[in-house]
């Protein structure tokens, strides 16, 4: 390990590769009350007092292990680089010949960390300090391209806001997170909990926690990730922020399945790489995929004009099969599998799916056969008795006044109105069973296999269309 080199009589010093010192951190504070702890990789917390923490509270034991730290990412065409040195890639290369070169320069209530990446030809310089009379922590970040060729870089700051008492680490943490109210402004993200509470009681919260940013010229950020989940995604192991899903590098060439497979085996933490490549492929082929699905769906509708399978079951089967087919098409083009393997896999999947659908269809038919109520006869009697309040036409339909209307040789009734009317005669009836019964008798008019129809002129309202021929 390198030794400390003092620069002047005021205590300023430099230290090479400071991340090698596991317990190293520095205080940042102002006379107004703000107190921060910051490590060379920008770990640590920031608070006013025990009940007011901007960043998640930490102790010396987990100061360097906590992933909810201040961070700044440089996103390029060929990779993502953390200027604090805490990406999954940088941590994997630590203590090897390929690790970043870093140098800490610090003094009383300030620190600057310079980091050089040979792989990405970038240099960063981060200065952290707190103005003496303000309750605000400043991170001043400068990025330098050390390559001979120009680079396109997107800078993304990532500072997760904790925004509550240190006691909430163990008491009511989940509930207090639900009290957070988040909004974005031109320059950042603000979090104001509606209240703060612990074992001492409930109190209205009047504090706002925020992280604001700007370029050197004062330009505001272009966009924000207001929640941690939006940044890190659902495929991150352990909900860490060392591989943010939102920052995955843009790929300009078609994916090579063999290379991708080998890469994932050697870098198991990057579990969403496959999904990223798949999404890019899907976007590139979107029009082709859409047209293919439309054609297959039209073919299905024509082939099942008089369906023997329940509409929703049939649609579910279709969309599951078509989704799996699209996925296998990507795998074939990316050389994850051969044409023959894809066909065998799809055939096996389709066979199992059909078995499940048939079993569910059998249960559905058995359920409607045991019903003792003749719902169609009940509706027929109500219609003949004039029990339904019907509008003259669509233009005169009033939702608060009418149960429905006659439209294209159908008695079109609003669902809630029909259910209420039926329950006034048979309180224990199941409306779901009623609709299933009408379907089994062919009494409902279906449009694109949907149980309800939308009628123009009624404000987009949907109706159960019961064929008048079944009511005579």
């Amino acid at each position: 390990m390198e030794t400390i080199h003092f620069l002047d009589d005021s205590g300023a010093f430099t230290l090479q590769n400071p991340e090698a010192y596991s317990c190293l951190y520095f205080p940042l504070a102002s006379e107004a009350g703000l107190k921060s702890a910051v490590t060379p990789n920008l770990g640590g917390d920031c608070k006013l007092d025990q009940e007011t923490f901007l960043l998640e509270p930490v102790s010396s034991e987990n100061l360097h292990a906590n992933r909810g730290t201040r961070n700044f990412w440089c996103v390029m065409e060929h990779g993502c680089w953390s200027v604090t040195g805490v990406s999954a890639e940088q941590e994997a290369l630590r203590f090897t010949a390929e690790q970043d070169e870093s140098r800490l320069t610090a003094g009383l209530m300030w620190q600057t960390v310079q980091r050089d990446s040979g792989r990405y030809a970038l240099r960063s310089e981060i200065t952290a300090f707190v103005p003496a009379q303000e309750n605000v922590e400043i991170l001043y970040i400068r990025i330098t391209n050390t390559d001979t060729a120009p680079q396109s870089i997107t800078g993304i700051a990532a500072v997760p806001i904790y925004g509550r008492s240190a006691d909430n680490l163990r008491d009511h943490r989940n509930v207090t997170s639900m009290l957070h109210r988040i909004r974005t402004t031109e320059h950042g993200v603000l979090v104001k909990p509606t209240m703060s509470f612990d074992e001492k009681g409930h109190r209205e919260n009047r504090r706002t926690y925020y992280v604001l940013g700007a370029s050197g010229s004062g330009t505001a950020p272009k966009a924000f990730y207001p929640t941690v989940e939006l940044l890190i995604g659902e495929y991150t192991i352990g909900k860490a922020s060392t591989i943010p899903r939102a920052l995955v590098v843009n790929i300009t060439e078609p994916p090579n399945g063999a290379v991708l497979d080998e890469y994932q085996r050697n870098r198991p933490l990057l579990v969403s790489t496959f999904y990223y490549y798949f999404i890019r492929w899907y976007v590139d082929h979107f029009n082709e995929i859409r047209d293919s699905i439309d054609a297959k769906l039209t073919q299905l509708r024509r082939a099942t004009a008089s369906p023997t399978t329940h509409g929703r079951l049939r649609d579910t089967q279709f969309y599951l099969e078509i989704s799996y087919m699209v996925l296998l098409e990507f795998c074939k083009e990316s050389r994850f599998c051969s044409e023959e393997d894809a066909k065998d896999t799809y055939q096996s999947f389709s066979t199992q799916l059909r078995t499940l659908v048939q079993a569910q269809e059998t249960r559905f038919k058995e359920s409607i056969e045991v019903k003792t109520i003749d719902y169609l006869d009940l509706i027929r009697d109500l219609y003949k008795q004039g029990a339904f309040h019907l509008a003259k036409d669509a233009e005169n339909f009033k939702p608060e006044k009418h149960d429905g209307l006659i439209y294209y040789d159908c008695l079109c009734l609003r669902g809630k109105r029909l259910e209420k009317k039926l329950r006034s005669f048979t309180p224990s009836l199941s409306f779901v069973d009623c609709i299933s019964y009408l379907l089994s008798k062919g009494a409902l008019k279906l449009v694109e296999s949907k149980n309800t129809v939308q009628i123009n002129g009624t404000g987009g309202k949907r109706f159960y269309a019961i064929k008048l021929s079944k009511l005579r």
Side-chain angles (χ1 to χ4, degrees):
M1 293 185 181
E2 294 288 337
T3 57
I4 294 176
H5 298 279
F6 287 97
L7 302 176
D8 52 38
D9 294 337
S10 64
F13 66 92
T14 65
L15 181 64
Q16 291 294 122
N17 298 323
E19 57 265 29
Y21 297 83
S22 60
C23 291
L24 183 63
Y25 73 95
F26 298 93
L28 302 177
S30 73
E31 296 177 3
L34 187 68
K35 297 170 280 292
S36 295
V38 60
T39 69
N41 60 9
L42 297 191
D45 56 31
C46 178
K47 66 276 188 184
L48 283 176
D49 49 47
Q50 176 70 7
E51 296 184 355
T52 313
F53 276 74
L54 172 67
L55 304 180
E56 183 177 313
V58 295
S59 66
S60 61
E61 296 301 321
N62 64 347
L63 194 62
H64 291 260
N66 194 337
R67 299 303 185 190
T69 63
R70 314 162 180 88
N71 208 338
F72 190 90
W73 293 88
C74 292
V75 183
M76 299 145 285
E77 288 187 354
H78 55 289
C80 298
W81 184 61
S82 165
V83 302
T84 64
V86 295
S87 73
E89 179 185 42
Q90 289 164 290
E91 290 189 340
L93 296 176
R94 189 173 293 181
F95 308 119
T96 71
E98 298 181 63
Q99 78 173 72
D100 293 344
E101 291 293 328
S102 60
R103 182 175 72 252
L104 168 71
T105 303
L108 184 62
M109 298 296 175
W110 65 271
Q111 75 165 32
T112 298
V113 178
Q114 179 178 303
R115 182 173 299 278
D116 288 89
S117 171
R119 173 181 173 84
Y120 295 106
L122 289 177
R123 172 178 297 156
S124 67
E125 186 178 281
I126 310 176
T127 299
F129 67 96
V130 173
Q133 303 301 324
E134 303 289 340
N135 281 332
V136 60
E137 180 182 301
I138 304 294
L139 294 178
Y140 182 77
I141 303 171
R142 176 179 294 174
I143 306 297
T144 304
N145 177 21
T146 58
D147 200 357
T148 56
Q151 295 192 65
S152 177
I153 302 170
T154 300
I156 300 181
V159 184
I161 298 176
Y162 175 76
R164 47 187 178 252
S165 167
D167 293 337
N168 296 136
L169 270 178
R170 60 184 185 278
D171 293 333
H172 313 296
R173 178 159 188 172
N174 184 55
V175 175
T176 53
S177 69
M178 297 178 185
L179 299 174
H180 281 182
R181 297 297 177 264
I182 305 170
R183 66 185 179 94
T184 58
T185 65
E186 181 183 5
H187 284 274
V189 178
L190 284 68
V191 175
K192 184 179 181 181
T194 55
M195 68 171 63
S196 59
F197 67 86
D198 48 34
E199 301 308 323
K200 292 177 287 187
H202 297 63
R203 301 170 299 283
E204 180 184 0
N205 173 65
R206 299 183 181 278
R207 294 193 183 277
T208 299
Y209 304 85
Y210 59 88
V211 175
L212 306 179
S215 68
S217 61
T219 305
K222 289 186 177 180
F224 302 94
Y225 296 103
T227 67
V228 174
E229 286 75 11
L230 285 176
L231 178 70
I232 68 175
E234 291 301 320
Y235 293 106
T236 306
I237 295 176
K239 300 286 280 184
S241 56
T242 54
I243 323 169
R245 292 295 163 264
L247 311 187
V248 178
V249 57
N250 291 324
I251 304 299
T252 57
E253 298 180 357
N256 183 317
V259 174
L260 178 57
D261 181 65
E262 180 182 356
Y263 188 78
Q264 282 197 226
R265 293 178 190 277
N266 294 333
R267 308 275 183 115
L269 283 178
L270 300 180
V271 294
S272 73
T273 309
F274 176 89
Y275 301 100
Y276 172 74
Y277 274 107
F278 172 70
I279 292 171
R280 286 300 302 264
W281 175 88
Y282 181 86
V283 171
D284 291 341
H285 295 79
F286 176 78
N287 291 334
E288 178 185 345
I289 294 171
R290 178 198 59 201
D291 294 342
S292 176
I293 293 176
D294 285 345
K296 292 181 184 297
L297 184 58
T298 300
Q299 183 181 2
L300 174 71
R301 298 292 188 223
R302 290 173 178 171
T304 56
S306 299
T308 57
T309 304
H310 187 275
R312 290 184 180 177
L313 277 176
R314 188 180 67 253
D315 284 356
T316 299
Q317 179 181 356
F318 171 79
Y319 286 114
L320 285 174
E321 286 183 338
I322 203 70
S323 299
Y324 199 58
M325 187 182 298
V326 170
L327 178 62
L328 289 175
E329 190 65 32
F330 163 73
C331 292
K332 286 192 301 180
E333 289 193 17
S334 302
R335 300 199 299 276
F336 274 108
C337 65
S338 65
E339 178 85 23
E340 183 178 355
D341 288 341
K343 287 182 179 179
D344 290 343
T345 303
Y346 176 77
Q347 187 61 43
S348 176
F349 173 80
S350 184
T351 300
Q352 294 182 58
L353 183 59
R354 281 199 301 271
T355 301
L356 290 172
V357 169
Q358 289 169 0
Q360 183 62 22
E361 178 68 16
T362 300
R363 286 193 289 269
F364 168 71
K365 289 181 177 179
E366 290 174 348
S367 68
I368 64 176
E369 288 172 357
V370 298
K371 305 305 174 187
T372 58
I373 301 176
D374 188 336
Y375 294 100
L376 182 58
D377 189 54
L378 180 57
I379 295 173
R380 183 185 298 115
D381 289 342
L382 291 173
Y383 174 62
K384 290 181 178 180
Q385 294 167 13
F388 296 113
H389 299 287
L390 303 177
K392 180 180 178 182
D393 51 37
E395 294 182 356
N396 290 288
F397 175 77
K398 305 295 182 184
E400 68 280 1
K401 178 181 178 182
H402 298 115
D403 299 319
L405 69 157
I406 302 297
Y407 189 78
Y408 279 91
D409 295 324
C410 288
L411 172 62
C412 300
L413 299 172
R414 294 283 288 156
K416 289 185 178 180
R417 291 273 188 163
L418 174 59
E419 182 178 7
K420 182 178 180 181
K421 195 74 67 175
L422 293 175
R423 287 189 183 280
S424 66
F425 291 89
T426 312
S428 61
L429 69 79
S430 166
F431 190 65
V432 173
D433 291 343
C434 172
I435 300 304
S436 298
Y437 185 83
L438 295 177
L439 285 169
S440 70
K441 297 298 182 180
L444 282 183
K445 181 177 181 180
L446 304 181
V447 177
E448 295 183 347
S449 75
K450 293 181 179 178
N451 294 338
T452 58
V453 299
Q454 191 174 40
I455 299 178
N456 294 331
T458 62
K461 298 293 188 297
R462 301 195 71 88
F463 300 78
Y464 287 98
I466 305 170
K467 300 172 185 177
L468 289 177
S469 60
K470 298 287 185 177
L471 301 177
R472 297 191 179 101

